[in-house]
């Protein structure tokens, strides 16, 4: 799905609402793999979910769109986006562009 001639896009997403205890992280991982994105997702102590997505622009946009509704059982009230410099190269050869994981929050 990713155009190999374009540089990757990276965005950090903060999702608010009823997003913990509803399978949001696992569904996010599955969707990110479907879109061919790298990155990670984790719960935050304040009840939000934080995720980082990196890959092709259209795939990242598709993932952001999915995050606006989330999985069945979730109620998303707000989505905050922070665009960052990609960690992968233009060919998507870094591990950041190849893997998507669920992380635990660490202070």
């Amino acid at each position: 799905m990713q155009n190999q001639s374009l540089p990757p896009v990276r965005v950090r997403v903060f999702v608010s609402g009823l997003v913990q205890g509803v399978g949001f992280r696992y569904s996010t991982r599955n969707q990110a793999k479907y879109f061919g994105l790298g990155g990670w997702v984790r719960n935050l102590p304040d009840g939000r979910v934080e995720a980082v997505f990196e890959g092709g622009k259209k795939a990242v946009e598709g993932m952001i769109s999915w995050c606006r509704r989330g999985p069945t059982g979730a109620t998303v009230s707000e989505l905050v986006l922070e665009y960052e410099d990609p960690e992968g190269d233009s060919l998507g050869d870094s591990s950041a562009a190849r893997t998507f994981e669920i992380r635990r929050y660490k202070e």
Side-chain angles (χ1 to χ4, degrees), residues 58-96:
K58 287 188 178 196
V60 169
E61 288 173 351
M63 194 67 219
I64 291 168
S65 196
W66 180 87
C67 284
R68 292 190 191 285
R69 63 183 181 282
T72 303
T75 303
V76 176
S77 61
E78 182 180 28
L79 203 65
V80 175
L81 309 176
E82 296 177 0
Y83 286 88
E84 303 175 347
D85 291 332
E87 291 182 0
D89 63 23
S90 63
L91 298 176
D93 287 337
S94 80
S95 62

Side-chain angles (χ1 to χ4, degrees), residues 45-65:
D46 63 5
R48 295 179 299 163
V49 168
E50 176 184 17
V52 172
F53 306 114
E54 184 169 328
K57 182 179 178 183
K58 287 188 178 196
V60 169
E61 288 173 351
M63 194 67 219
I64 291 168
S65 196

Side-chain angles (χ1 to χ4, degrees), residues 6-26:
L6 297 175
V9 174
R10 182 179 178 94
V11 65
R12 183 176 305 265
V13 178
F14 295 92
V15 188
S16 299
L18 177 59
V19 293
Q20 290 189 15
V22 294
F24 203 100
R25 292 176 300 156
Y26 298 98

